[in-house]
Amino acid sequence: APHFELEGGDGSGSGHTLRAVRFSAKSGQYAPPLGAEKMAAFYRARRRFSELAHDPKYVMSLQLKPGDLLMFDNQRLLHARSSIAPTDGERWVQGCYLDRDGLWLNYERWRRRAETTE
């Protein structure tokens, strides 16, 4: 999947909004089929994005305590876990995922139902 997914726009290449970000510095990840020159530019841009994403001035760190809850859109927020220090104790993280397409399908279904009852 592409690193950045856009939606909307007016067909001219402007007016888009960011729908999703997919990036992992640890894997080769997505690379579009490009010629050598464009591929080199793609990897330069990817390396630059990685530098910016890992720059301390753009990183927010927090320490969760037992019972804390952190919710975010997995496709809109770059996130990672730090290494576990010997003094940290056990780490237990529970993930929960929503099916975005199913969520929008049900929303649209209820919206249309509400329109017909008005």
Side-chain angles (χ1 to χ4, degrees):
H3 293 302
F4 303 101
E5 184 179 334
L6 303 175
E7 66 183 3
D10 57 10
S12 69
S14 63
H16 290 91
T17 58
L18 184 64
R19 181 176 191 275
V21 177
R22 298 175 192 90
F23 181 77
S24 172
K26 296 178 184 176
S27 70
Q29 207 174 0
Y30 171 82
L34 299 169
E37 190 174 311
K38 284 189 176 184
M39 184 63 78
F42 170 82
Y43 279 109
R44 278 193 307 276
R46 188 180 189 286
R47 280 190 296 276
R48 180 64 181 136
F49 182 76
S50 184
E51 290 169 2
L52 291 170
H54 291 93
D55 187 320
K57 71 181 177 184
Y58 300 119
V59 173
M60 183 181 92
S61 296
L62 57 110
Q63 178 73 43
L64 298 175
K65 299 180 296 301
D68 284 350
L69 171 69
L70 176 64
M71 292 179 65
F72 55 87
D73 185 332
N74 205 35
Q75 294 185 345
R76 295 292 300 267
L77 178 75
L78 293 177
H79 58 283
R81 296 183 198 115
S82 61
S83 59
I84 301 173
T87 56
D88 285 347
E90 285 189 38
R91 178 181 284 180
W92 186 80
V93 178
Q94 177 67 48
C96 176
Y97 300 90
L98 293 174
D99 173 17
R100 182 180 302 217
D101 292 334
L103 193 62
W104 281 112
L105 173 69
N106 284 319
Y107 166 79
E108 189 61 26
R109 197 178 281 153
W110 283 101
R111 187 190 66 76
R112 289 178 185 184
R113 193 174 291 169
E115 273 183 3
T116 60
T117 60
E118 290 177 358

